[in-house]
Amino acid sequence: RMATALRDDSWSEVEQQVWYQSAQQIADDENFFHWEMEFPIVFYEQNGERKDNSGFDVVIGNPPWLNAWRMTDKMPKKRNAIRQVFDSSDLLEGHWDLYIPFTIQSLNLCRNGGRHSFILPNLMLTEKYAKNLRRSLLSDHKLESILDFGEKNVFDEVERQSIVYVVDVGGDNTALHELQRCAGTDPFN
């Protein structure tokens, strides 16, 4: 319906429909973000067909580090909605922290051969809930490097150990991986 309306220049008619207004109100209330609609040039050809190797060249960031217990307590509906979005993925398991679905989504948004890098709690390397995601990073992609800050607190007022990793999405997973440790040095000076 919407695609036809866009082609036929009858979008104003769609905007008057009750279903559209209801969906728009929910989207406004929940601040939905649709990557493919916000960045169509990254995912679609000029003719509207999906690109063969669609996605971003690079996805980098510092996702929220909100832990599972706080999410369960403070925002159970949002946590359940996130679980439903990733229901078909076996990468989201157990009592996961919020950075896990952000990592999964970032990998999904990258094109094959693109790069993905996050700064995360080092729990990503050891927690049971991240096991399948770690396995995917090593078997489905090329993990290029991990920078481990050890005991060094990277952020003021955050008492968690951190890592930064770089992944070649869909890259050759048989290549060697590199682990760097910032032990006894200050990587910021």
Side-chain angles (χ1 to χ4, degrees), residues 61-68 71 75 79 82 86 91-92 95-107 116 118-131 133-134 137 160-163 165:
N62 176 12
W65 293 15
L66 191 59
N67 69 43
M71 287 176 61
M75 51 196 248
R79 183 173 172 83
I82 292 168
F86 293 98
L91 302 180
L92 192 63
H95 210 60
W96 43 269
D97 290 350
L98 188 55
Y99 65 85
I100 296 292
F102 269 78
T103 303
I104 297 166
Q105 182 66 8
S106 294
L107 290 165
H116 163 62
F118 269 174
I119 184 166
L120 296 176
N122 72 349
L123 298 173
M124 169 70 169
L125 301 177
T126 58
E127 282 293 333
K128 184 177 178 181
Y129 62 72
K131 178 182 64 174
L133 182 54
R134 286 192 304 272
L137 288 172
R160 291 183 88 175
Q161 295 178 9
S162 307
I163 61 166
Y165 64 87

Side-chain angles (χ1 to χ4, degrees), residues 34-71:
H34 298 279
W35 289 97
E36 293 179 10
M37 294 174 83
E38 296 293 331
F39 298 97
I41 196 167
V42 173
F43 298 96
Y44 296 98
E45 302 288 352
Q46 285 289 98
N47 65 5
E49 296 293 319
R50 187 158 184 95
K51 289 183 175 182
D52 288 336
N53 188 17
S54 65
F56 292 98
D57 294 334
V58 177
V59 177
I60 61 173
N62 176 12
W65 293 15
L66 191 59
N67 69 43
W69 304 111
R70 176 170 257 172
M71 287 176 61

Side-chain angles (χ1 to χ4, degrees), residues 1-11 14 19-20 37 47-48:
R1 245 177 157 177
M2 291 193 323
T4 302
L6 287 171
R7 283 192 297 272
D8 297 343
D9 293 327
S10 58
W11 187 250
V14 171
W19 65 265
Y20 175 83
M37 294 174 83
N47 65 5

